[in-house]
Amino acid sequence: MATVDDLKFHEFDDAANLLAANPDAVTISIDEPAEKPKTKHGHLQDSGREEDDELLGTDDSDKTELLAGQKKSAPFWTFEYYQTFFDVDTYQVLDRIKGSVFPVPGKNFVRLYIRSNPDLYGPFWICATLVFAIAISGNLSKFFIHLGKPDFHYVPEFRKVSIAATAIYAYAWLVPLALWGFLMWRNSKVVNIVSYSFLEIVCVYGYSLFIYIPTAILWIIPQKALRWVLVVFALCLSGSVLVMTFWPAVRDDNRRIAVATIVTVVLLNALLAVGCLAYFFDAPELDLVMPTTTLPQNVTIRAIKEQ
């Protein structure tokens, strides 16, 4: 019975005879591993896939859990369900703020920053900061305009905080809700329309409002021309984020509907900015003049008769 050593010896003997007969012949040993090219090729494929996942903002572990059905969301009445909406670090928030202030032409804000981990932390605090920035700046603007007038008595208007909060949070939540419903309706009509989740749309609107925070602070300067230049500049940046995000979602729809949708998005954004500027800063203020006391006519006549 032939052993393994005998087989190897016969293989070596046959190879030696073949080389002696044909020096140009090439021999291949059965012991050489043939998996190196495949492993290298597989490594290249994995690296390319990792680069694609990094650009798309996905993660292998999350994808594996989703495919396996192991990643389940908590019920909506639990605290864990809403905790996931605030699971974001400072670097992600700053990166998304930077992306909203410096929009890149041709880049989708949702796919580039939001889709990997949409959050409510950034939009909530951006809206809250904008509310106080507009209310405080509006009061300071009124104070500086009437500074030095002896008949003016400054009284802080705290109602501006509630008015600003109502306007900004209604814009940041109700407009995305209406837009999300509209896109869902059009998605049932047109197959090629890109769909966004409600949370992604809220993120876009929330982060697009960040540019109005420094703008509202600069509105304290009592120069109407400068204020309108600032509001136009902020509108261009905030509106460009919205247009570059939602145009790919409606461009395959009917041309008139697509254009009307984008125009409506831009007009609502402009209405918020111009409305805040006109109400909190450029509203005509009535000078508070101390009323002069006048005696009734009959009292004056009686005093003259007594003299």
Side-chain angles (χ1 to χ4, degrees):
M1 183 176 181
T3 61
V4 176
D5 294 335
D6 294 335
L7 293 176
K8 290 183 178 181
F9 179 77
H10 288 298
E11 180 186 358
F12 179 76
D13 192 14
D14 294 338
N17 295 331
L18 179 61
L19 289 176
N22 188 5
D24 296 331
V26 178
T27 60
I28 300 176
S29 176
I30 60 175
D31 295 334
E32 292 181 357
E35 300 295 331
K36 289 185 178 180
K38 187 180 297 185
T39 304
K40 184 176 180 181
H41 180 67
H43 178 71
L44 292 176
Q45 288 182 345
D46 293 339
S47 62
R49 183 171 57 83
E50 290 176 357
E51 292 177 357
D52 294 338
D53 292 341
E54 184 177 358
L55 291 175
L56 294 175
T58 57
D59 186 66
D60 288 340
S61 60
D62 294 340
K63 189 181 299 182
T64 303
E65 290 178 354
L66 288 174
L67 292 176
Q70 298 176 357
K71 191 173 184 179
K72 298 180 180 179
S73 60
F76 71 92
W77 60 82
T78 60
F79 178 77
E80 289 78 8
Y81 177 80
Y82 298 97
Q83 188 178 9
T84 57
F85 299 151
F86 296 86
D87 187 13
V88 64
D89 55 23
T90 305
Y91 296 102
Q92 285 180 321
V93 174
L94 293 178
D95 193 38
R96 294 172 183 183
I97 291 175
K98 182 177 67 174
S100 66
V101 176
F102 303 103
V104 180
K107 298 295 183 179
N108 192 313
F109 185 78
V110 171
R111 293 182 179 178
L112 197 60
Y113 298 101
I114 302 299
R115 180 148 292 178
S116 61
N117 184 24
D119 70 290
L120 294 180
Y121 179 86
F124 175 80
W125 286 111
I126 288 174
C127 292
T129 306
L130 182 59
V131 167
F132 287 100
I134 290 178
I136 295 173
S137 299
N139 282 279
L140 290 177
S141 175
K142 177 182 176 181
F143 174 77
F144 289 137
I145 289 175
H146 298 86
L147 183 64
K149 295 182 180 180
D151 298 331
F152 175 73
H153 297 277
Y154 174 71
V155 178
E157 299 182 15
F158 295 102
R159 62 184 178 86
K160 289 186 175 181
V161 178
S162 59
I163 295 174
T166 302
I168 291 172
Y169 277 100
Y171 171 81
W173 284 91
L174 296 182
V175 175
L177 179 61
L179 183 59
W180 173 72
F182 174 78
L183 292 179
M184 292 291 291
W185 173 63
R186 295 307 302 173
N187 193 19
S188 63
K189 303 291 183 180
V190 183
V191 180
N192 295 329
I193 289 183
V194 179
S195 61
Y196 295 131
S197 65
F198 174 67
L199 185 59
E200 291 173 345
I201 298 177
V202 170
C203 280
V204 175
Y205 270 84
Y207 283 103
S208 67
L209 292 176
F210 178 82
I211 188 60
Y212 291 112
I213 296 177
T215 304
I217 296 174
L218 293 177
W219 280 344
I220 299 177
I221 303 173
Q223 297 291 333
K224 288 188 177 181
L226 178 61
R227 288 175 176 176
W228 284 101
V229 170
L230 290 173
V231 74
V232 170
F233 177 74
L235 276 174
C236 292
L237 291 180
S238 180
S240 61
V241 174
L242 298 176
V243 171
M244 288 189 296
T245 301
F246 296 111
W247 174 248
V250 298
R251 63 185 174 188
D252 293 331
D253 201 347
N254 183 275
R255 180 62 60 176
R256 292 182 179 180
I257 296 178
V259 174
T261 303
I262 298 300
V263 170
T264 303
V265 169
V266 175
L267 285 180
L268 290 175
N269 188 20
L271 181 62
L272 176 70
V274 175
C276 290
L277 177 61
Y279 180 80
F280 294 98
F281 296 90
D282 289 343
E285 299 288 349
L286 298 177
D287 293 337
L288 300 179
V289 182
M290 295 300 293
T292 57
T293 58
T294 57
L295 295 175
Q297 185 177 2
N298 56 353
V299 176
T300 305
I301 295 174
R302 185 181 302 174
I304 293 174
K305 287 181 179 181
E306 291 178 356
Q307 292 179 355

